[in-house]
Amino acid sequence: MTASGAPPYAEGEGLKHESWARALRDGVLLGQECADCEHVLGTPKSVCPGCSGRSLVTVRLPTSGTVLSETTIEVTPEGLGDRYQVGVVDLGPTRLLGRMSDEVEIGDTVAFDGFVEYEDLPGPRFVAEPTG
């Protein structure tokens, strides 16, 4: 952490895609919060989609949430192997698209479980949490 309490990935001009990707590869899920309207974003932006404000502060996102939507990719891009599932996860303050490590259904609870890489670009990976 820096003196301001912000993760070291966001020093300088704030959270950029390169820093977000590096944090993801290190197992840290970052987002941004608008200082003007408190809207939380799951990926780096330069302008808040809620109010068009530019005062975006880097925050750590919750690491578990609920699957809001899911689909299975049956015809995969070259190099990704067999079919896989992606889903939109409600993390509380924001929603994030990610790859699922397990078969999940809408309403399942999932936890952040690292990343998947495609063409040198990481994306968040989630795993189903045990029920019961």
Side-chain angles (χ1 to χ4, degrees):
M1 294 291 214
T2 62
S4 68
Y9 307 101
E11 293 178 0
E13 295 183 14
L15 187 63
K16 302 293 184 201
H17 185 268
E18 295 80 18
S19 298
W20 179 85
R22 186 168 28 104
L24 197 60
R25 288 182 181 110
D26 288 345
V28 178
L29 197 53
L30 296 179
Q32 294 173 299
E33 182 174 358
C34 179
D36 297 326
C37 73
E38 299 181 354
H39 184 81
V40 177
L41 310 162
T43 57
K45 306 280 188 260
S46 57
V47 176
C48 174
C51 73
S52 300
R54 293 183 180 269
S55 300
L56 300 172
V57 178
T58 301
V59 295
R60 286 183 184 254
L61 296 175
T63 56
S64 65
T66 305
V67 177
L68 289 180
S69 176
E70 59 77 22
T71 191
T72 299
I73 308 300
E74 298 285 350
V75 180
T76 64
E78 187 175 320
L80 282 185
D82 295 335
R83 63 194 288 270
Y84 61 91
Q85 192 176 33
V86 297
V88 175
V89 178
D90 183 349
L91 296 172
T94 193
R95 297 172 178 177
L96 193 60
L97 178 68
R99 183 148 169 196
M100 303 297 133
S101 293
D102 303 313
E103 284 286 323
V104 298
E105 296 180 5
I106 294 171
D108 285 354
T109 301
V110 294
F112 175 60
D113 185 47
F115 68 97
V116 293
E117 190 103 15
Y118 180 67
E119 295 184 349
D120 296 323
L121 297 171
R125 182 180 67 217
F126 292 90
V127 62
E129 290 190 337
T131 58

